[in-house]
Amino acid sequence: MIFSDPASVAVVGASDDPAKWGHWLARGALVGHDRRAVHLVNRGGGAVLGQPTVRSLSELAEAPELVVLAVPAAHVPAVVDEALAAGVRGFVGITSGIDDRVIRRIRDAGARLLGPNCLGVFDAATSLHLAWGRFQAGSLGVVSQSGQVGLEIAGLAASSGTGVSRFVSVGNQADVTATEALLDLVSHDLTTVVGVYLESFGPGTVAAMSALRAAGKPVVLLTVGTSVAAREAARTHTGALTSPSDVVDAACRRAGAIRVTTPAALVDLAAVLTSGVPRGGRVGVVSDSGGQGAIAADLAVAAGLTMPALSVVDGLPAGASTRNPIDLAGAGEQDLANYARAVEVLARGGEVDAVVLSGYFGSYGPDTPSLEEAEVAVAARICSLARETGVTVVVHSMREDSAAVRVLRTGGIPVQLTIERAVASLGHASKLGRSSLEVVPRTATAIPFRPGYLAARELLSFVEFPNAHAVTTTADVIATALRGPFALKADWLPHKSEHGGVRIGLTDPAAAFEEMRARLGPGTYVLEEMDTREHTVELIIGAKRDHSFGPVVLVGAGGVHAELFGDTAIELAPVTPATARDMLARLTCAPLLSGWRGAPAPDATALAEVIAQVSETLAARPDLAEIELNPVRVGPDGVLAVDALIIPAEKAVDSARRDLPAAPIAGLRAPIGSPAVT
């Protein structure tokens, strides 16, 4: 409770100068003086905001529970030492430039630090206001890594009528993390929706967002899309095909959260979600203008919503269209109650999950004062209908503020000045209707990591590969009982085609072996039967360990052109076969998997099982960094992986290197008898 409802606070650096942080923090702290003891500390003494001050914390009879640091960085060490000696347990580090030694002293003493370099904390439920700026109480919990972005979100939330339930600026996260701040909102009664701005992610971020979603508090995430793994040079096709936003979106799907790209979009979506998550994506549109209704309908479809045909239309005014969108054709202006009647027809008809009211409603009162009372009554009726039916209602009004608009917002109905913002927020909200899957990994193989293609085939024993033999001499090749045509591969090379380490379609494998061995040197080569089945589709299946979110799995169009097409779907690993099938359905090449132009359909069920097992293997094997199967050829009779690559975690690489001969490895050439570690 230190950062949400402390028994006492002290603002060190309190000031009467409105241009200083200490002024805003002192003024905010005094808001809660009826609930807690508030101490103002100013080394010059005197009064601040008409309240007496002390020159130092040592002058206080009892140690405050929470201390706000709003003094220059040079003075912070002395203040912290004094506070810790007195028994202070919590600090809000507004000041930037607090060095690591001070932070370690706070931690070593068992105290906690929010920040440093943060904007502060606000809690509407406990009258705690230790932050710059003003906040309107509401239902949106805000956790922000950037103080300025968080303040913008809070300001937009006030304008939208949503307001803020709790605001936590985590700053540099030297101690208290964004994950902790998010988890603390799970049991915060005032918070119904959570808005988050993060520039980096910890290992517990997804779990925290999932816990909030499970508590009925949907999370809206705003981020710059940075992922540590995405900044690294790609070592495999899988790495090259993952982007920061792809991985963040996968994390959001797993947690049941939604990612947006601007503070305004975050608040717009939060305004919709304060009254609950829409039950689905079916939307009905009402307008008194055919043009505005048509625009809203087009935007709704573009946002992934559906516009169902209506069969229940009793109660609409004469002359109104009975199709979706409903055009009141002037009946709304003739009798404002017709707006509520049309909304009621849709809300009670059972054919839509949400209603968009678009146009002039909300503007009648300001333009014609004699209509204000009637318009307010209709607004109140629309709020009642939304509550009674559970149907989400979103309003686009040509007036940003009016008595009717205020009634709508107070009643939980979001109102936007533009139709595109109204529909976009509804489209995002409807995506939250799908629950994320809880996945338990299967038991992974205990086979230790060894480098090379043959070792990868052994470790991935759940995948079917072509018949193959290890060969080291021409005699081995000649003696093979395999059936051609053949493929010949250098076992140790990760990207064989780029270095001339693979030849396919061979009828004379002995000659090809001698040429390749002359270029690449002695070592283990693989002679393999080629897959000559008809009606196959080539894909890539990969799994990679992201430094921020952990294991991720990817599927996409495969082969040597995988990076060129960039047709991929990504999820956090592990996934179930059902989620894997959903990934396949999102691919642009998905029609090829259902029988394109009359071709027999490949075995997508078996393919989904392989995707799931690859994801489970990486998730259960911390010694592995990446797994890649490329290409994977799937046909009507099953799945065949034609190449495989496994990259170990760094400590596994070091171990493998210790097991190699001491002789150096030159270029791409393999050491005799051992595959090279790349």
Side-chain angles (χ1 to χ4, degrees), residues 76-156:
V76 168
V79 173
V80 168
D81 285 344
E82 184 180 43
L84 291 174
V88 171
R89 311 312 299 159
F91 297 87
V92 177
I94 304 296
T95 306
S96 62
I98 298 177
D99 64 40
D100 291 341
R101 289 172 297 176
V102 173
I103 295 167
R104 282 197 299 271
R105 286 207 292 272
I106 292 173
R107 289 175 176 169
D108 291 345
R112 301 303 309 271
L113 169 67
L114 178 64
N117 190 29
C118 75
L119 201 74
V121 61
F122 165 84
D123 196 306
T126 62
S127 300
L128 183 69
H129 189 157
L130 301 176
W132 180 284
R134 295 180 174 86
F135 298 86
Q136 177 180 306
S139 57
L140 175 64
V142 178
V143 175
S144 180
Q145 199 168 344
S146 163
Q148 293 281 358
V149 172
L151 197 61
E152 181 182 2
I153 291 170
L156 291 167

